[in-house]
Each structure stands twice: as C-alpha cells, then as structure tokens.
Amino acid sequence: PSAHDNEPHFITRSGWLRAAVLGANDGIVSISSLLVGVASADPSPRAVLIAGVAGLTAGAMSMAAGEYVSVSSQSDIERADIARERQALSDEPEMEHAELVAIYRHRGLSAETAKIVADELTRHDALGSHVRDELGLSEVHAANPLQAALASGATFSIAGAVPLIAAAASPASYIVHIVLIVTILALGGLGVFGAKTGGAPVGHSLARVVGWGVVAMLVTAGIGKIFGVSV
C-alpha cells in the first residue's frame, strides 16, 4: 500500500533523468558553441549545416558511449561488492550477522530489537539485507548502462538539433544572434523539464541550467578571444 498513490516517488527516475539532462545540456551548449564559431568564420548555410550535423552525430555517439562505459564501471563495482558479501556470508555468517545488528543499532533500534530484525531478515534474505543495508544498494538505484546510454544519446540529439534548426532557418547575417537566443530559451526549457520530471522547484533548476550554460558559452568565447579565433 502507498500513502500517496497519486504522487509517486520521483527517485525512481533518477537514473535515466540524470543521463537525459546531462545529454540535453551538453547537446544544447556544445552544438550552439560550434555553430556560433563556424558562423563567425563562415556564415554560409552550407558550412553551418555541415558542421552542425557532424557535431550532432559525433556528440550523440560520444555521449552514449561515454555514459555506457562510465555506468558500466559503476555496475562492475556494485557486482564485485555483492560477490564479496555473498562470499563473506558463506565464510563468516556470524560476523556478517553482527554487522547487520550493529547497522540497525546505529539507526536507532535497541540491541534486542536490532537482533530480532537481523535474525528475521537474515532468514528471509541474508544477501539482500546486506546489499541493501550494508552496501546501500537497491533495485531503484542499480546502475543501468544501456538505459543511461540511450537516454543521454537521444537527448543530446534532440536538444542539439534545436540550435541547429534555428541556425539553418536563420539569415546568414543573424545566425549568431538567433542561435544564442534560442540556446538560452532551450536551456530554460531543459531546466523546467528537469524540475517538473524530478519533482523539484522550478526556479532553482531553471537558474542552475541557464546560468551554467551561459557561463560555459562565455568561457568558450573567452578562450577563442584570447587565442584570436572564433570558437
């Protein structure tokens, strides 16, 4: 039973939402920066379109591969720790039981109640109890490399296409200005989406996404200015 059937916990979305927001944010900022740099040097629609499509394709593949590799490393660590717990339960069950009792006492249970809880959970599912309460792992938070890769790659492509479409539809002399405006609006939309999907305050998320996105573009432009090139 649930005390709030109409308001599910948003924590179940954390795995794919993190990867989706990361991919979308990177898509918007990196493709916009690329387009602004190319348009500053050669504002012809053909040059901008070729650079944008190439950046969009390479970026999506890179994000998907990077997420898969990094989350797979996390998954490897989790599986290794679970295997160690399984072996420890086989070699030293009394010691593992004592660890479980200590964990529950640390959380506020009396010694007697902690022992009862540890006894019953050990009989029910000893490994599951240690994985959850000693390692802090659960099915909700378990690493899912494929899910993260698909979410990040897809959102990079979708979000990165926004400034690309804006650039393709803009007159050559206004590409830079329109791309920058569309980028800020897209970042704002991403901030609202992330907040609404995760059940967080919209204002904080909006300010964070837009603020850091603008900072990233300013730093990119500043580096280009220092070295005398359009970036």
Side-chain angles (χ1 to χ4, degrees):
S2 175
H4 37 75
D5 289 328
N6 296 326
E7 297 180 359
H9 291 298
F10 294 104
I11 194 66
T12 56
R13 304 173 180 176
S14 62
W16 65 264
L17 182 59
R18 179 203 60 79
V21 171
L22 174 63
N25 187 80
D26 194 24
I28 294 170
V29 174
S30 62
I31 298 302
S32 296
S33 299
L34 174 65
L35 293 174
V36 168
V38 172
S40 298
D42 183 0
S44 66
R46 183 174 183 275
V48 171
L49 187 61
I50 291 174
V53 171
L56 197 63
T57 303
M61 294 299 100
S62 176
M63 287 298 296
E67 280 287 343
Y68 187 85
V69 170
S70 63
V71 179
S72 292
S73 298
Q74 178 186 341
S75 182
D76 290 343
I77 293 172
E78 292 175 0
R79 285 197 297 268
D81 273 348
I82 291 172
R84 278 192 288 271
E85 282 301 312
R86 183 182 291 109
Q87 188 62 46
L89 282 167
S90 176
D91 296 341
E92 299 178 309
E94 295 82 6
M95 182 67 72
E96 289 296 305
H97 180 273
E99 285 184 352
L100 211 54
V101 172
I103 289 171
Y104 298 141
R105 289 199 63 186
H106 180 72
R107 292 180 180 177
L109 298 182
S110 65
E112 182 181 358
T113 303
K115 185 177 184 307
I116 292 173
V117 172
D119 288 343
E120 293 189 6
L121 288 179
T122 297
R123 286 195 296 269
H124 174 69
D125 181 8
L127 180 60
S129 300
H130 283 272
V131 168
R132 180 184 61 252
D133 295 323
E134 184 178 347
L135 301 181
L137 300 177
S138 68
E139 291 183 2
V140 171
H141 298 102
N144 190 327
L146 184 59
Q147 180 190 68
L150 292 175
S152 188
T155 54
F156 182 100
S157 300
I158 295 170
V162 173
L164 177 57
I165 293 172
S170 303
S173 57
Y174 291 99
I175 287 179
V176 172
H177 303 85
I178 291 176
V179 167
L180 290 176
I181 292 171
V182 169
T183 296
I184 293 175
L185 293 175
L187 288 171
L190 176 61
V192 173
F193 166 78
K196 291 290 188 181
T197 307
V202 172
H204 188 297
S205 176
L206 184 62
R208 180 177 61 236
V209 175
V210 174
W212 282 108
V214 171
V215 168
M217 289 189 292
L218 288 175
V219 170
T220 302
I223 292 174
K225 187 71 173 179
I226 292 172
F227 289 96
V229 295
S230 296
V231 182

